[in-house]
Amino acid sequence: MSTLDATRAELALIVLYLNKAEARDKICRAIQYGSKFLSNGQPGTAQNVDKSTSLARKVFRLFKFVNDLHGLISPVPRGTPLPLALLGKSKNALLSTFLFLDQIVWLGRTGIYKNKERTELIGRISLFCWMGSSICTTLVELGELRRLSKSMKKLEKNLKNSDKYKNEEYCAKLQKSNERTLAFVKAGLDIVVAVGLLQLAPKKVTPRVTGALGFATSLISCYQLLPPPPKSKVS
């Protein structure tokens, strides 16, 4: 493959990535929390970027609550333990509520909805819903990691006399474990970000801490949305 073909292929992947509304939202989220880190809650250019980007992101999330509403009414995978199933449905319900209320906040911030006090109250309720969904996600990922660990250990016993890294099933489980570990870390950090946005512990979780952790989780989200690498062809 020539250099031009390789460049064209890389640009095609970038275009494919940026065509996703979710990817653009997470890039804006990184800008938002990066600005929050720089401003540290003080008035200035960085805080203006933080506020304007936060408002712009709400447009990307219009009607996004339907996704989690669909997940809420969809059947759980067979074999999922009841506690994990209930936590998963709770996460869907809380995240769907957050995204729905966030649209009302957007109406208030743009001046369409005139009641400022109620807008602020709805904004806080929506953030509590987001924090609750992050807690549920953390517990779900922790439970799924334990299930994966048990199945991988069982598989390792059956592959004692062979290289486990050449086994497709083991490699698939290992990749899934890495993905769930990353999701677990992200959800845990998002809980702290929510605490910072709600100012539940203003002395410990300052705007700078909130910005730093929010920027980190935004980068994780951007990474999670990357297209999978092409499979190598076996001659």
Side-chain angles (χ1 to χ4, degrees):
M1 183 184 287
S2 66
T3 305
L4 182 61
D5 289 336
T7 304
R8 190 183 294 116
E10 288 171 0
L11 285 174
L13 284 175
I14 293 171
V15 170
L16 181 66
Y17 182 76
L18 293 176
N19 277 341
K20 298 177 182 178
E22 186 77 9
R24 295 197 300 274
D25 175 47
K26 298 310 177 187
I27 292 170
C28 289
R29 188 179 191 267
I31 295 170
Q32 175 194 344
Y33 282 102
S35 301
K36 188 179 288 291
F37 171 78
L38 293 173
S39 72
N40 195 25
Q42 301 302 316
T45 303
Q47 191 181 65
N48 293 337
V49 173
D50 173 17
K51 290 181 178 180
S52 60
T53 311
S54 174
L55 185 61
R57 285 185 60 221
K58 296 184 187 302
V59 178
F60 290 113
R61 299 202 293 261
L62 286 174
F63 301 106
K64 193 180 171 184
F65 69 93
V66 176
N67 295 348
D68 282 278
L69 192 61
H70 179 264
L72 181 62
I73 62 176
S74 298
V76 296
R78 185 173 295 179
T80 305
L82 182 60
L84 289 182
L86 292 174
L87 282 170
K89 294 301 180 184
S90 299
K91 181 202 81 169
N92 290 136
L94 288 166
L95 195 55
S96 182
T97 305
F98 158 68
L99 292 167
F100 177 76
L101 293 178
D102 197 52
Q103 296 186 36
I104 301 175
V105 175
W106 174 72
L107 292 173
R109 299 275 165 83
T110 53
I112 298 172
Y113 182 61
K114 303 296 183 183
N115 194 324
K116 290 185 178 180
E117 290 183 3
R118 187 159 293 180
T119 299
E120 292 302 317
L121 176 61
I122 292 172
R124 284 188 64 82
I125 293 171
S126 70
L127 285 174
F128 272 112
C129 290
W130 180 56
M131 184 171 69
S133 73
S134 298
I135 293 170
C136 290
T137 302
T138 304
L139 296 174
V140 167
E141 296 301 336
L142 185 61
E144 291 292 354
L145 280 169
R146 290 185 64 183
R147 291 179 68 204
L148 265 174
S149 178
K150 288 180 181 178
S151 64
M152 287 173 71
K153 285 179 181 177
K154 187 177 179 181
L155 188 58
E156 282 176 8
K157 290 180 181 178
N158 298 331
L159 298 171
K160 276 185 178 179
N161 300 323
S162 60
D163 187 355
K164 61 186 179 182
Y165 295 107
K166 291 183 179 179
N167 183 273
E168 288 186 8
E169 185 183 355
Y170 183 85
C171 289
K173 287 181 181 291
L174 182 61
Q175 184 181 354
K176 196 70 177 175
S177 177
N178 292 336
E179 290 172 357
R180 288 200 175 277
T181 301
L182 191 62
F184 171 75
V185 171
K186 176 182 172 295
L189 293 177
D190 273 338
I191 295 171
V192 185
V193 173
V195 169
L197 293 175
L198 287 164
Q199 297 183 338
L200 300 178
K203 291 184 179 179
K204 293 183 178 180
V205 189
T206 61
R208 181 149 286 171
V209 172
T210 305
L213 296 181
F215 183 75
T217 56
S218 300
L219 293 183
I220 293 173
S221 296
C222 289
Y223 171 77
Q224 289 173 325
L225 290 168
L226 287 173
K231 294 182 180 179
S232 57
K233 294 181 179 179
V234 181
S235 56

